[in-house]
Amino acid sequence: MDALLGWYDEERRELPWRVAPGKRANPYRVWLSEIMLQQTTVKAVIPFYLRFLARWPTVKALAAAPLDDVLAAWAGLGYYSRARNLHKCAITVAEDYGGKFPSTVGELQKLPGIGPYTAAAIAAIAFGASATPVDGNVERVVARLFAVRQPLPNAKTELKRLAATLTPEHRAGDFAQAMMDLGAGICTPRRPSCLVCPVQSDCAAAAHGIAEALPMRLERAERPQRVGYAFVALSEDGRVLLRRRPEAGLLGGMLEVPGSEWGDLLPPLNETLRTAPVRADWWAVPGTVVHVFTHFRLEVIVYRALVPADATLTFWADPDRCQWVARRDLHAAAVPSVMRKIIAHALTEN
Ligand code: SF4
């Protein structure tokens, strides 16, 4: 795999969290980038990463930030449990480790939000440990290099084992990043560029002409659908009624537009209107809002009402968890993307 490291020296992607080949990167920056990159593209992550780093340049600074500020800065990256764990992890590192990340895979994995992949990435890239981070990109490259025909997800353990056999004792961090770059730019899911690939001479799939067919996968079940109602209450003085979600679960601790539960079937409309957060003249906004989560697709019917600035909230609103947020302050509030879509949908029908 020397050819891969040689290729990385010349052709690697310049990314703001990276350092020159052969050097060890700052653990805080590697960790921050890796958490942001989980299920998000590099292109989407870069502006968030730069903003976070400018605002919280060290793990101690991030640990000292209010959770709400971190969640608000995260809005747009999705998967808010990651942001909550990011903050929890920063506090643990600041308080229990004196602001220094531990250097081994085992210790790193004990920290909130750090799984096997991220632990291996930090250990290799920031500490030079001979660890092998294996994500979907690396699985694909390894499945092709060794022409593994066993389908995913069953092949995961074997692909991990094979990936570890490739990892060198020295420059393991560069090797890990080279594999990431190879998967992102050359050994792509469709139409891999085998002709310009630095490891083509070692690749069994290329030799057999089956690169594009790998990795094989078991058929995936279709994503389930859920439906629900949302009530966007606008006060006469330009504020929107929002409610804090419970700490545990999906979008935990974020602000939401009050509404029905999300289920397989819509609850009857008259029953739903009875549970509106404010007694008002509710009006159905034409169309629906669709949002795709990892495990389900959500379709929301949006109701809107203009209410007095001192409107009384109903029992159904759960008033203790509600707050009125000025429309001009919404961009900085901890409001997840799905709720932003719902509010925008309600406001387009002015
Ligand atoms: Fe992927 Fe082709 Fe390179 Fe093999 S030769 S690793 S299939 S790009």
Side-chain angles (χ1 to χ4, degrees), residues 4 7 145 182 186-187 192-201 203:
L4 184 60
W7 172 78
L145 282 172
L182 191 71
I186 304 267
C187 195
S193 307
C194 300
L195 289 179
V196 294
C197 176
V199 292
Q200 190 202 8
S201 57
C203 181

Side-chain angles (χ1 to χ4, degrees), residues 112-179:
I114 298 190
Y117 173 83
T118 309
I122 300 171
I125 299 168
F127 297 105
S130 178
T132 315
V134 180
D135 66 353
N137 277 331
V138 174
E139 280 176 351
R140 179 174 64 255
V141 174
V142 173
R144 288 172 176 172
L145 282 172
F146 292 90
V148 174
R149 288 179 169 81
Q150 185 187 18
L152 282 167
N154 298 357
K156 274 181 182 290
T157 312
E158 176 63 0
L159 293 176
K160 226 174 174 174
R161 189 190 68 77
L162 290 170
T165 65
L166 300 175
T167 303
E169 277 299 317
H170 300 293
R171 297 191 64 191
D174 288 343
F175 182 79
Q177 294 176 96
M179 288 291 272

Side-chain angles (χ1 to χ4, degrees), residues 231 233 239-243 256-258 277-278 313 322-324:
F231 295 103
R239 293 175 301 155
V240 180
L241 181 67
L242 295 177
R243 181 167 64 190
E256 67 173 0
V257 174
V278 183
L313 303 185
C322 285
Q323 56 187 269
W324 291 96

Side-chain angles (χ1 to χ4, degrees), residues 14-28:
E14 294 295 340
L15 301 173
W17 47 86
R18 279 193 175 166
V19 292
K23 299 265 185 276
R24 290 187 188 169
N26 175 314
Y28 172 62

